[in-house]
Amino acid sequence: MDDAIGRVRAEPSTIAAKSEWTLGGDLRVNRIGYGAMKLTGWPMGKRPDKDTALAILRRTVELGINHIDTSNYYASGGMAANELIRTALYPYPDDLVIVTKVSALIEGHDILLPAHAQRGLTPEGLRRGVEANLRSLGIDRLDVVNLRLGDGGHMPVEAALETLMALRAEGLIRHLGISNVTATQFARARTVADVVCVQNLYNIEARADDPLVDACARAGIAYVPFLPLGGGYQPLTGRHLITVAGRRGATVSQVALAWLLARSPNILLNPGTSSLAHLEQNLAAGHLQLTDDDLAELEA
């Protein structure tokens, strides 16, 4: 490995994060996974060509990633995340955990509909979403299904989870998670279902969820930040990130990911990328051990 983490070039299976987490008591995953949304450019943005997308997915497994985040509605311009995953990785490795999500959206183009016309958060819509994920991935049971709220629809979290629990009883789902939820919705969800993960907006510069991260840790529930590196409308630009990255010979993104790993042992990461080089750089963050001085400066 190079002294500069950003220039790491390792052999297969040597970069994956050393620490692990067990989802639901039986699905062991490395704490750095991969988010497939960027492979499709959904809901807007650039995407790689199909051959590059397939190469990235195959490389994730070579590097030891065993946790991929996706959804059937991640689809745009003829590129669909689940179909890419199936083409690249089926038959799936025994240890690969594929986490999907359902929401007010059923198909990717539904995002263009007004909120009242999005029918995913109904008993029928949730079943359609689950069945679409099963069909497009080519499997009989989904490892984890995240219920994403806040995108439209007015189904209470309890009723939505009860629908998904019925599908779990049919053998279509193994574990349930929740996404884009408030602390109140988190508490309500736990009154009706065993939640194994929470997926919310969180990164070093967006820390409103600090109390929820800690609540999940106390309950033994994984917390999976979306936009762990910010986004097109919220890039990470803090001067402390830049200073620590320069001192450690790393990239700003690597420092931001390493901070999340240090923040709490229940945090799992699934940064997405459409670049093979960035995939390896993201995984190399698992080997960046921030010092107490680094952490103090980052949180100043």
Side-chain angles (χ1 to χ4, degrees):
M1 179 181 298
D2 271 332
D3 291 337
I5 290 178
R7 296 194 301 272
V8 68
R9 291 292 183 271
E11 294 303 314
S13 301
T14 63
I15 303 180
K18 296 178 181 178
S19 56
E20 297 178 325
W21 181 267
T22 302
L23 289 164
D26 61 352
L27 298 177
R28 182 179 294 180
V29 296
N30 293 320
R31 289 181 65 201
I32 300 182
Y34 178 73
M37 185 177 74
K38 282 193 174 182
L39 296 180
T40 70
W42 185 90
M44 62 186 68
K46 296 180 180 179
R47 61 178 178 269
D49 61 54
K50 184 174 182 180
D51 288 343
T52 300
L54 296 176
I56 289 169
L57 287 165
R58 291 172 180 137
R59 185 62 173 155
T60 64
V61 172
E62 291 176 351
L63 292 171
I65 285 177
N66 60 358
H67 167 208
I68 294 178
D69 180 84
T70 186
S71 179
N72 178 70
Y73 59 75
Y74 291 166
S76 177
M79 295 275 276
N82 285 1
E83 293 173 7
L84 290 169
I85 291 168
R86 182 177 183 177
T87 299
L89 301 177
Y90 189 88
Y92 302 116
D94 290 341
D95 66 340
L96 181 64
V97 174
I98 300 178
V99 178
T100 59
K101 61 179 63 64
V102 291
S103 75
L105 308 177
I106 296 176
E107 304 293 342
H109 53 72
D110 289 351
I111 197 170
L112 299 176
L113 298 173
H116 71 272
Q118 295 174 7
R119 303 298 185 185
L121 283 181
T122 64
E124 178 188 4
L126 290 171
R127 176 178 284 276
R128 286 179 61 195
V130 166
E131 291 177 346
N133 276 290
L134 289 166
R135 184 170 57 251
S136 55
L137 288 167
I139 53 180
D140 297 323
R141 182 172 68 167
L142 300 170
D143 291 326
V144 181
V145 173
N146 281 321
L147 170 67
R148 180 180 165 93
L149 301 177
D151 293 325
H154 303 287
M155 195 176 192
V157 62
E158 295 92 341
L161 285 172
E162 286 169 358
T163 296
L164 293 178
M165 289 167 65
L167 296 175
R168 185 177 64 183
E170 293 180 29
L172 304 183
I173 300 171
R174 192 168 186 169
H175 296 297
L176 296 174
I178 50 179
S179 176
N180 204 38
V181 295
T182 65
T184 298
Q185 289 170 324
F186 169 74
R188 287 166 49 191
R190 295 190 65 210
T191 66
V192 297
D194 293 325
V195 173
V196 305
C197 56
V198 171
Q199 188 179 75
N200 270 15
L201 169 64
Y202 187 75
N203 57 57
I204 193 170
E205 295 179 2
R207 298 188 57 180
D209 250 14
D210 270 335
L212 187 52
V213 172
D214 295 334
C216 287
R218 290 191 296 270
I221 295 170
Y223 185 98
V224 188
F226 62 75
L227 297 182
L229 298 174
Y233 60 91
Q234 188 192 32
L236 300 181
T237 58
R239 63 180 178 84
H240 298 309
L241 275 170
I242 296 170
T243 300
V244 172
R247 184 166 66 237
R248 301 303 303 278
T251 68
V252 166
S253 293
Q254 286 170 331
V255 172
L257 293 175
W259 177 85
L260 284 166
L261 292 173
R263 167 62 179 83
S264 184
N266 67 318
I267 287 182
L268 307 182
L269 304 179
N270 54 19
T273 180
S274 57
S275 161
L276 281 165
H278 289 163
L279 172 68
E280 297 198 12
Q281 289 178 8
N282 288 342
L283 285 175
H287 292 295
L288 177 57
Q289 299 296 317
L290 298 175
T291 66
D292 290 343
D293 288 343
D294 292 334
L295 292 170
E297 183 168 357
L298 289 169
E299 298 184 9

